[in-house]
Amino acid sequence: MSDTFAVVYSALERVDDDDQLVEPILRLLPLSGVSIATLGDALSAETIAASDSQVALLDEIQFDLTEGPCWDAVGSGHPVLEAAIQRNGYAFWPSFTEAIRGHAVGSVFAFPLRVGPLQVGAVELYDTEERTLGEQAVEEMMSLTRPLSRYVLRRTLEHASQPETEQLKPHARRRIHQATGFVIAQLGLGADDAHLFIQAQAFAQNRSMADVAEDILERRTGYLLRDDTIEDDR
């Protein structure tokens, strides 16, 4: 990884405002523009940061059509790299490619944002010219999706305002703690991300964290498939 990558990664870990998201990415990859959007099963489609109106338009078109590189990146969990979107895009996204015909967009690159298996959104980069991204650039961008995913998910949950954790009874708080440990073991997440995962599930399903925790502990969720056992002090 480059020295610039280390600086950019550190900057994104400290981000506390949407306006601080795009500049570090463009410092690492000097393309024409970048956007960060929520997208997928859990969160509604919304651009939360965009470097310019062109990349914001690319997001809006994909939201409307439910088609395009960002949708594919989120669905697959892998980057989508189209070096010549105007020439090649019709084979994959005919409606999206037709909609951007005539716009100054030569290449589009989309990277999924996820916390564990939870779809959070996508980072989209574009250039006015046709160009490719090198292997190192792709690897560095995929690494940057980790702090970006955490920021985007925390932002969404904070804006939704979930005061229930302040009012939980001891039993419910203990069950959430147990479920957090189970998610850590099952999905290999850190403690903060595992708790964030449970919060996000509660938000997406319009349920309490305590109810989601019970589903996790009783193996009633498709995200957690391994048959590990955990101590249960009900």
Side-chain angles (χ1 to χ4, degrees), residues 155-212:
R155 170 196 183 275
T156 301
L157 296 175
E158 287 170 2
H159 286 195
S161 179
Q162 297 197 25
E164 66 160 308
T165 51
E166 303 287 330
Q167 306 164 8
L168 287 173
K169 294 179 180 179
H171 172 74
R173 195 182 304 278
R174 184 170 66 250
R175 295 298 281 167
I176 292 170
H177 179 74
Q178 290 176 324
T180 301
F182 191 49
V183 171
I184 291 170
Q186 291 279 303
L187 300 181
L189 300 178
D192 288 346
D193 285 354
H195 191 266
L196 196 59
F197 174 85
I198 297 172
Q199 280 186 293
Q201 287 295 301
F203 169 75
Q205 299 170 24
N206 195 27
R207 300 168 66 205
S208 71
M209 286 183 68
D211 286 345
V212 172

Side-chain angles (χ1 to χ4, degrees), residues 3-214:
D3 292 341
T4 302
F5 168 81
V7 172
V8 168
Y9 192 98
S10 178
L12 290 176
E13 282 194 308
R14 298 192 305 271
V15 162
D16 57 12
D17 186 86
D18 296 351
D19 292 338
Q20 299 171 348
L21 291 171
V22 298
E23 189 276 332
I25 298 172
L26 291 177
R27 193 189 322 165
L28 181 67
L29 295 175
L31 299 170
S32 298
V34 59
S35 69
I36 295 94
T38 55
L39 200 68
D41 296 335
L43 308 180
S44 59
E46 176 193 4
T47 299
I48 66 172
S51 61
D52 58 69
S53 59
Q54 180 77 280
V55 75
L57 176 64
L58 296 181
D59 281 354
E60 288 299 322
I61 291 171
Q62 291 180 83
F63 297 159
D64 292 343
L65 297 175
T66 62
E67 174 188 290
C70 286
W71 285 107
D72 283 10
V74 169
S76 69
H78 299 291
V80 174
L81 313 171
E82 183 46 67
I85 186 72
Q86 302 277 1
R87 291 191 291 119
N88 300 332
Y90 283 98
F92 307 103
W93 317 290
S95 298
F96 171 73
T97 306
E98 180 63 25
I100 66 170
R101 188 170 62 159
H103 289 274
V105 179
S107 49
V108 177
F109 313 103
F111 296 83
L113 296 177
R114 291 187 169 209
V115 175
L118 186 68
Q119 300 171 344
V120 174
V123 181
E124 183 172 41
L125 298 130
Y126 88 98
D127 201 83
T128 57
E129 306 295 329
E130 294 183 4
R131 63 176 296 171
T132 60
L133 286 186
E135 184 177 336
Q136 179 174 324
V138 173
E139 183 180 345
E140 291 180 341
M141 265 309 305
M142 285 300 293
S143 295
L144 291 183
T145 64
R146 290 196 286 272
L148 285 170
S149 296
R150 295 186 194 107
Y151 172 83
V152 169
L153 189 51
R154 285 197 181 97
R155 170 196 183 275
T156 301
L157 296 175
E158 287 170 2
H159 286 195
S161 179
Q162 297 197 25
E164 66 160 308
T165 51
E166 303 287 330
Q167 306 164 8
L168 287 173
K169 294 179 180 179
H171 172 74
R173 195 182 304 278
R174 184 170 66 250
R175 295 298 281 167
I176 292 170
H177 179 74
Q178 290 176 324
T180 301
F182 191 49
V183 171
I184 291 170
Q186 291 279 303
L187 300 181
L189 300 178
D192 288 346
D193 285 354
H195 191 266
L196 196 59
F197 174 85
I198 297 172
Q199 280 186 293
Q201 287 295 301
F203 169 75
Q205 299 170 24
N206 195 27
R207 300 168 66 205
S208 71
M209 286 183 68
D211 286 345
V212 172
E214 288 300 323

